[in-house]
């Protein structure tokens, strides 16, 4: 089949070949990759476009696990591996064990003083972080086209609440008091997530549904991981700054550092990890901001996300209220693209009262109109929205390597 790659074969209804994922082409970038590796934690690098880089350390290891039928046994063993300092369980395939021992090492540039400061920041700002991780970062994921399609057509698209709980675990673990300590779980979560990413890279190109809709041949490039990364710390800090939440410089830097370490532990090359907030913002302006767009898959995922509040409080977190908050956080263009209706009460309330409300909460202002009448309602919303995010942490959460894509003939849960 000269000139016919795996993607072409699937689109033509052909049979999958045995090509390795890393041998396939990827989509071209609208603008040439121009972010300088001098702005990274490494301070230098090859300058290779991260759209053309995946995870050559994890991908072949996981592909062989899947193809040899070893994944169910591996998942069973890894369910017992829950703490950062815990030895790997006996019985793992030697190739996987070697990779995981390597992947669990913290980067040499880790600043443990900053990680301790990040703990204090997370304690002080936990309420805001919970809401922003859940409803700024979470909803943003539905308008990152590649991510939305990857979620929708992979196994995670079948049981979205289960997938959300595993994503929420990342935000919860990084904010815990012992995130990277021996008795914490953040390293475990990152390594297991890295294995899942490798599995999805191997499996999704075998899905005719994904192939028909995707622009790329292989999902979850290093660029895609950094796009998602920016939807988390970069987006969160942008909103905190926009809300004028007072954050000391050393706490802001520590929060960034905790996420720099997370990117490394997720397998991102150091040359792509921003060294500062200005560097992060400049990279986000190239890789995140221009690509945000609604897709049919993303709109369906967003609709399901907006229904989560019904499990907590029908009066405060109705679907229209969460939709209004999404519009407030992400703007009219994105909200309209997701077919989120405009709300005559909550839209103006959030637009005109949120800023003064935050100022009152932070002790910058006294309770002045229009905040006085709305303060309780907005405060209750903030608390219940954070509770909704945390409610998705349905314990125990086991991040496991998938062995299949979503069965599109079965209705999602």
């Amino acid at each position: 089949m000269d000139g016919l790659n795996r993607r072409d074969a699937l689109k033509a209804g052909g049979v999958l070949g045995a090509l390795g994922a890393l041998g396939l082409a990827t989509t071209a970038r609208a603008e040439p990759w121009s972010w300088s590796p001098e702005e990274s934690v490494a301070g230098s690098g090859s300058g290779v476009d991260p759209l053309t880089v995946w995870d050559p350390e994890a991908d072949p290891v996981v592909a062989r696990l899947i193809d040899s039928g070893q994944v169910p046994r591996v998942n069973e063993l890894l369910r017992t591996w829950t703490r950062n300092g815990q030895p790997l369980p006996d019985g793992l395939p030697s190739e996987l064990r070697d990779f995981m021992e390597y992947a669990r090492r913290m980067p040499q540039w880790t600043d443990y003083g900053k990680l301790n400061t990040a703990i204090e920041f997370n304690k002080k700002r936990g309420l805001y972080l919970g809401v922003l991780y859940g409803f700024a970062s979470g909803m943003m994921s539905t308008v990152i086209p590649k991510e939305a399609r990857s979620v929708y057509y992979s196994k995670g698209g079948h049981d979205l609440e289960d997938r959300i709980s595993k994503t929420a675990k990342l935000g919860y673990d990084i904010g815990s008091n012992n995130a990277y300590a021996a008795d914490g779980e953040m390293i475990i979560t990152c390594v297991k997530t890295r294995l899942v990413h490798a599995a999805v890279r191997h499996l999704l190109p075998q899905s005719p549904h994904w192939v028909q809709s995707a622009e790329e041949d292989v999902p979850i490039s290093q660029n895609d991981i950094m796009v998602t990364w920016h939807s988390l710390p970069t987006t969160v800090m942008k909103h905190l700054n926009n809300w004028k939440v007072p954050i000391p410089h050393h706490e802001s830097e520590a929060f960034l550092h905790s996420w720099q370490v997370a990117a490394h532990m997720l397998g991102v090359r150091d040359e792509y990890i921003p060294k500062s907030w200005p560097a992060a913002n400049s990279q986000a302006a190239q890789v995140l901001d221009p690509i945000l767009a609604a897709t049919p898959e993303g709109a369906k995922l967003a609709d399901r996300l907006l229904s989560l509040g019904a499990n907590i409080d029908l009066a405060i977190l109705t679907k229209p209220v969460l939709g209004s908050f999404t519009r407030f956080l992400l703007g009219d263009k994105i909200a309209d693209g997701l077919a989120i209706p405009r709300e005559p009460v909550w839209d103006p309330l959030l637009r005109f009262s949120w800023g003064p409300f935050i100022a009152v909460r932070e002790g910058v202002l006294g309770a002045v109109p229009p905040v006085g009448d709305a303060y309780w309602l907005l405060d209750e919303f903030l608390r219940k929205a954070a509770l909704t995010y945390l409610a998705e942490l349905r314990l125990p959460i086991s991040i496991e390597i998938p062995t299949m894509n979503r069965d599109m003939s079965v209705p999602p849960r």
Side-chain angles (χ1 to χ4, degrees):
M1 292 194 297
D2 292 342
L4 188 64
N5 64 15
R6 179 187 301 204
R7 180 182 178 84
D8 296 328
L10 277 173
K11 284 194 170 184
V15 179
L16 278 172
L19 293 174
L22 296 180
L24 298 175
T26 186
T27 53
R29 188 185 295 280
E31 297 291 336
W33 172 248
S34 60
W35 192 80
S36 173
E38 294 179 0
E39 295 300 309
S40 71
V41 294
S44 63
S46 65
V48 172
D49 191 330
L51 271 175
T52 66
V53 182
W54 291 269
D55 193 340
E57 297 161 329
D59 291 345
V61 174
V62 175
R64 283 190 282 272
L65 286 180
I66 294 172
D67 292 343
S68 63
Q70 298 182 77
V71 170
R73 175 58 178 160
V74 166
N75 281 334
E76 181 182 354
L77 291 171
L78 290 182
R79 286 182 201 125
T80 66
W81 192 53
T82 58
R83 299 293 174 184
N84 297 333
Q86 186 179 345
L88 287 169
D90 293 333
L92 290 175
S94 58
E95 185 182 34
L96 177 64
R97 171 180 290 276
D98 290 345
F99 166 74
M100 293 180 70
E101 290 289 10
Y102 159 78
R104 70 191 294 189
R105 298 176 193 162
M106 295 280 278
Q108 293 183 342
W109 43 262
T110 301
D111 185 325
Y112 289 92
K114 286 185 177 180
L115 292 182
N116 288 333
T117 301
I119 292 171
E120 297 306 311
F121 171 78
N122 290 323
K123 284 181 183 178
K124 290 163 60 175
R125 301 302 177 195
L127 198 60
Y128 297 144
L129 294 176
V131 171
L132 288 170
Y133 284 148
F135 295 100
S137 305
M139 290 302 294
M140 184 176 282
S141 70
T142 69
V143 288
I144 298 172
K146 289 184 180 182
E147 183 173 350
R149 293 188 186 107
S150 293
V151 170
Y152 188 77
Y153 293 113
S154 66
K155 187 179 179 182
H158 174 68
D159 187 347
L160 188 60
E161 290 196 24
D162 180 69
R163 199 270 183 179
I164 293 169
S165 71
K166 291 170 181 175
T167 303
K169 180 173 169 55
L170 186 73
Y172 178 81
D173 288 346
I174 200 171
S176 64
N177 292 344
N178 56 355
Y180 293 104
D183 60 340
E185 299 183 30
M186 187 60 184
I187 295 173
I188 303 286
T189 295
C190 287
V191 173
K192 288 185 177 181
T193 300
R194 191 172 173 183
L195 296 175
V196 170
H197 286 169
V200 172
R201 288 189 200 98
H202 185 64
L203 292 169
L204 267 186
Q206 303 175 39
S207 164
H209 303 283
W210 179 80
V211 168
Q212 292 287 349
S213 66
E215 299 175 359
E216 72 274 23
D217 293 311
V218 183
I220 319 181
S221 67
Q222 297 251 318
N223 184 88
D224 297 331
I225 296 174
M226 287 310 297
V227 167
T228 300
W229 187 91
H230 286 298
S231 77
L232 289 154
T234 310
T235 296
V236 165
M237 188 55 65
K238 180 185 76 172
H239 283 297
L240 292 176
N241 289 334
N242 288 343
W243 295 351
K244 295 181 171 55
V245 176
I247 302 172
H249 178 75
H250 71 287
E251 291 185 2
S252 174
E253 292 300 303
F255 176 66
L256 173 62
H257 188 67
S258 68
W259 279 101
Q260 289 168 332
V261 173
H264 177 96
M265 300 305 292
L266 288 168
V268 176
R269 288 186 182 179
D270 288 352
E271 70 173 278
Y272 301 134
I273 303 173
K275 69 179 182 181
S276 65
W277 285 119
N281 290 330
S282 69
Q283 189 184 90
Q286 179 171 9
V287 304
L288 174 65
D289 300 346
I291 58 95
L292 295 177
T295 61
E297 296 88 353
K300 292 173 184 175
L301 293 174
D303 185 69
R304 289 162 65 189
L305 282 173
L306 292 176
S307 300
L308 292 177
N311 299 327
I312 304 296
D313 190 312
L314 290 172
I316 298 295
L317 297 182
T318 61
K319 187 174 181 180
V321 173
L322 292 179
S324 185
F325 194 57
T326 298
R327 181 178 296 277
F328 173 67
L329 291 175
L330 302 184
D332 289 334
K333 180 180 179 181
I334 289 177
D336 291 343
L338 294 174
I340 295 174
R342 295 176 185 264
E343 298 299 325
V345 175
W346 274 87
D347 285 359
L349 178 65
L350 289 167
R351 190 180 311 119
F352 296 114
S353 298
W354 189 262
F357 159 69
I358 295 295
V360 171
R361 282 194 100 257
E362 295 298 321
V364 177
L365 292 177
V368 296
V371 176
D373 293 336
Y375 184 95
W376 179 87
L377 185 62
L378 292 176
D379 195 61
E380 188 70 3
F381 168 80
L382 184 65
R383 295 177 187 281
K384 290 287 175 61
L387 181 61
T388 300
Y389 170 74
L390 293 174
E392 294 310 312
L393 293 167
R394 297 171 294 170
L395 300 175
I397 297 171
S398 179
I399 298 174
E400 304 197 348
I401 303 169
T403 58
M404 59 180 288
N405 295 309
R406 177 179 171 184
D407 183 348
M408 299 303 295
S409 66
V410 178
R413 290 190 289 184

